[in-house]
């Protein structure tokens, strides 16, 4: 097991904001970064040493990248596992193709969680009318239908109400294979982010408490207020998942907390996670540096939180009439602005985030909502 010291080259499949923030951390440490993405101007390419332009399932382009790097990692779980198998023969892919194969299909992921005996919402395959009728008999209504592959930020999800025609909802998924889930009456959502090193060593981040709006992450608060027992069981679930997968790198396990305190696994993200952005500024070692350390075989860093933090996402809707005026954010000494360099703002698209460093996280959550209101109200800086 060779350690890849600074000076080595990391290949990233996919050039979104996760790759960008990892590249910033990696380059600070002296690593080189080459990214594969269809756009030469993608967020990661802007801060990388090189870019291979190509689709994520373009085998020639992916092999071209693999031959130039010492290790390969991913900005998204939606790279076909067969491509990863091929690349793994050229340079190690971390996390490995098996991890991705288990996660990238929601149905396989749910079967994997069932196999581990971990609690999750009731679910059933639901790709056609017959399956949907059976699934609703099992999970009840309201329910949520989710496509098995390539969904994110609530894309590829439709809700089935207690009344109304469920089949017309199924048609909205245009024949994509899907699963149905019960609608979980959760009290709140949390996520556990941890890193697993090449030798199987683990470091767990403080648990994050997440609020979603329209199925998109709105705010994260860290640390999430947790009972000792709740913290222990959440961490135990996440560790079980990471070890069963044989994961290498950062991994996030999203969970629903029921009013009784019981936890259900919502989904697994085998990568750095939006709810871990607070670590970049609030923790001794950010999730991005931690991921680099894990995939390069370095010792893991300290995940300790140095201050309470709230992260609020900046969604493309704020760009309705041009880029917002950043004055309300930059005027606050505890706020840090992160923009991802995306040139095409669209409603629902994640454009950046603000991190508020404040031990009083209730106050920071209120500030976050105030900032979003102010940014929505301010005239565009380009006006
Ligand atoms: N079964 C469910 N019950 C209640 N809310 C849900 C359910 N599934 C998803 N949601 C809500 O939608 C959000 C996004 O869904 P998720 O399955 O995490 O998909 P993704 O993050 O890949 O878009 C969740 O964080 C949660 O707020
Ligand atoms: Mg999710």
């Amino acid at each position: 097991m060779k350690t890849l010291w600074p000076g080595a080259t990391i290949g990233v499949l996919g050039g979104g904001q996760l790759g960008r923030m990892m590249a910033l951390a990696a380059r600070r440490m002296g690593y080189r970064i080459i990214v594969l993405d269809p756009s030469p101007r993608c967020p990661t390419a802007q801060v990388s040493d090189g870019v291979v332009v190509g689709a994520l399932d373009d085998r020639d382009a992916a092999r071209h990248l693999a031959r130039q790097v010492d290790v390969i990692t991913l900005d998204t779980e939606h790279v076909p596992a067969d491509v990863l198998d091929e690349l793994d023969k050229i340079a190690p892919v971390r996390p490995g193709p098996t991890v991705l194969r288990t996660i990238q299909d929601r149905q396989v992921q749910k079967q994997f969680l069932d196999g581990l005996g971990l609690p999750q919402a009731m679910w059933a395959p639901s790709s056609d009318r017959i399956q949907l009728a059976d699934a609703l008999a099992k999970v009840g209504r309201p329910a949520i239908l989710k496509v098995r592959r390539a969904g994110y930020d609530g894309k590829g999800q439709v809700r089935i109400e207690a009344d109304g025609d469920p089949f017309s909802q199924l048609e909205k998924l245009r024949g994509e294979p899907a699963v149905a889930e019960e609608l979980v009456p959760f009290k709140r959502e949390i996520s556990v982010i941890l890193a697993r090193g090449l030798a199987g060593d683990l470091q767990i981040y403080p648990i994050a408490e997440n609020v979603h709006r329209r199925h998109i992450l709105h705010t994260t608060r860290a640390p999430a207020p947790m009972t000792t027992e709740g913290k222990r069981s959440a961490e135990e679930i996440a560790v079980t998942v990471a070890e069963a997968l044989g994961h290498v790198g950062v991994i996030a396990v999203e969970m629903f907390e029921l009013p009784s305190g019981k936890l259900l696994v919502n989904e697994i993200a085998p990568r750095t996670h939006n709810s871990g952005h607070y670590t970049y500024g609030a923790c001794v070692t950010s999730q991005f540096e931690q991921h680099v350390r894990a995939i390069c075989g370095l010792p893991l860093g300290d995940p300790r939180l140095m201050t309470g933090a709230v992260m609020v996402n900046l969604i493309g809707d704020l760009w309705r009439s041009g880029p917002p005026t950043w004055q309300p954010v930059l005027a606050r000494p505890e706020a840090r602005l992160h923009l991802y360099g995306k040139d095409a703002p669209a409603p629902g698209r994640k454009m950046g985030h603000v991190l508020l460093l404040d031990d009083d996280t209730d106050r920071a959550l209120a500030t976050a909502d105030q900032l979003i209101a102010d940014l929505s109200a301010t005239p565009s800086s380009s006006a």
Side-chain angles (χ1 to χ4, degrees):
M1 215 165 53
K2 199 168 123 231
T3 302
L4 298 172
W5 299 106
T9 303
I10 300 170
V12 192
L13 306 175
Q17 63 267 22
L18 301 178
R20 176 186 176 97
M21 288 181 273
M22 187 196 74
L24 291 170
R27 292 188 66 178
R28 175 173 52 74
M29 296 168 78
Y31 289 93
R32 297 182 70 246
I33 296 281
I34 304 182
V35 58
L36 170 70
D37 194 86
S39 163
R41 291 190 321 278
C42 67
T44 309
Q46 293 168 24
V47 298
S48 290
D49 297 276
V51 51
V52 175
V53 178
L56 296 183
D57 58 357
D58 177 339
R59 283 163 199 263
D60 289 338
R63 276 194 297 259
H64 182 57
L65 172 111
R67 285 192 287 265
Q68 302 176 60
V69 304
D70 299 298
V71 61
I72 298 169
T73 193
L74 300 96
D75 162 87
T76 161
E77 56 273 36
H78 303 309
V79 179
D82 295 348
V83 174
L84 300 177
D85 282 331
E86 235 179 275
L87 301 183
D88 201 34
K89 294 178 196 143
I90 307 174
V93 176
R94 296 176 185 154
T98 323
V99 176
L100 278 301
R101 195 167 266 119
T102 308
I103 303 297
Q104 61 191 200
D105 178 330
R106 275 191 200 274
Q107 182 161 312
V108 177
Q109 186 183 134
K110 286 175 182 298
Q111 286 163 338
F112 164 76
L113 289 166
D114 279 344
L116 292 174
L118 293 177
Q120 48 181 337
M122 273 193 293
W123 71 276
S126 195
S127 298
D128 57 35
R129 285 174 165 243
I130 294 171
Q131 284 188 345
L132 175 59
D134 287 350
L136 292 180
K138 178 176 173 190
V139 311
R141 292 165 74 165
I144 299 192
L145 279 181
K146 301 181 180 178
V147 293
R148 282 171 56 174
R149 288 180 175 276
Y152 69 98
D153 288 346
K155 291 188 176 59
Q157 297 192 15
V158 293
R159 190 167 152 148
I160 294 184
E161 300 300 341
D163 43 25
D165 174 21
F167 299 120
S168 62
Q169 291 299 85
L170 180 68
E171 273 156 29
K172 288 188 185 156
L173 303 182
R174 298 199 194 96
E176 284 287 318
V179 293
E181 276 176 30
E182 68 174 307
L183 185 77
V184 178
F186 57 79
K187 187 174 73 184
R188 63 173 177 168
E189 294 186 79
I190 60 168
S191 50
V192 182
I193 296 174
L194 64 81
R196 187 164 178 274
L198 259 187
D201 44 326
L202 294 168
Q203 287 290 357
I204 309 176
Y205 281 97
I207 295 175
E209 179 187 279
N210 305 315
V211 174
H212 291 78
R213 283 190 180 163
R214 292 181 292 138
H215 295 261
I216 303 173
L217 184 63
H218 171 53
T219 54
T220 293
R221 173 222 300 259
M226 301 290 293
T227 62
T228 312
E229 174 54 23
K231 180 168 181 286
R232 198 189 54 76
S233 57
E235 290 181 350
E236 201 172 281
I237 290 170
V239 167
T240 302
V241 166
E243 292 192 327
L245 285 170
H247 185 75
V248 173
V250 167
I251 185 168
V253 182
E254 300 178 14
M255 301 179 198
F256 298 129
E257 186 181 288
L258 300 179
S260 66
K262 185 178 158 64
L263 297 170
L264 302 179
V265 176
N266 170 29
E267 63 169 350
I268 306 166
R271 51 167 166 76
T272 55
H273 194 258
N274 194 169
S275 69
H277 289 359
Y278 78 85
T279 64
Y280 186 6
C283 291
V284 175
T285 311
S286 75
Q287 62 169 348
F288 305 104
E289 171 171 343
Q290 198 74 300
H291 187 72
V292 169
R293 285 171 168 267
I295 64 170
C296 290
L298 300 182
L300 296 178
D302 185 352
R304 186 165 38 98
L305 197 61
M306 297 181 290
T307 160
V310 163
M311 187 276 333
V312 58
N313 269 330
L314 300 170
I315 305 295
D317 307 59
L318 291 170
W319 273 248
R320 259 183 319 264
S321 45
T325 300
W326 298 114
Q327 200 274 340
V329 178
L330 296 173
R332 302 196 71 96
E334 82 280 30
R336 288 213 179 151
L337 178 64
H338 289 244
L339 292 173
Y340 305 144
K342 296 184 183 178
D343 52 12
R349 188 164 196 220
K350 290 170 180 166
M351 302 297 291
H353 68 266
V354 175
L355 182 63
L356 296 163
L357 301 169
D358 187 345
D359 282 327
D360 183 342
T361 53
D362 285 327
R363 178 171 62 195
L365 280 170
T367 304
D369 281 330
Q370 186 58 50
L371 280 177
I372 296 301
D374 291 348
L375 292 174
S376 311
T378 48
S380 130
S381 53
S382 65

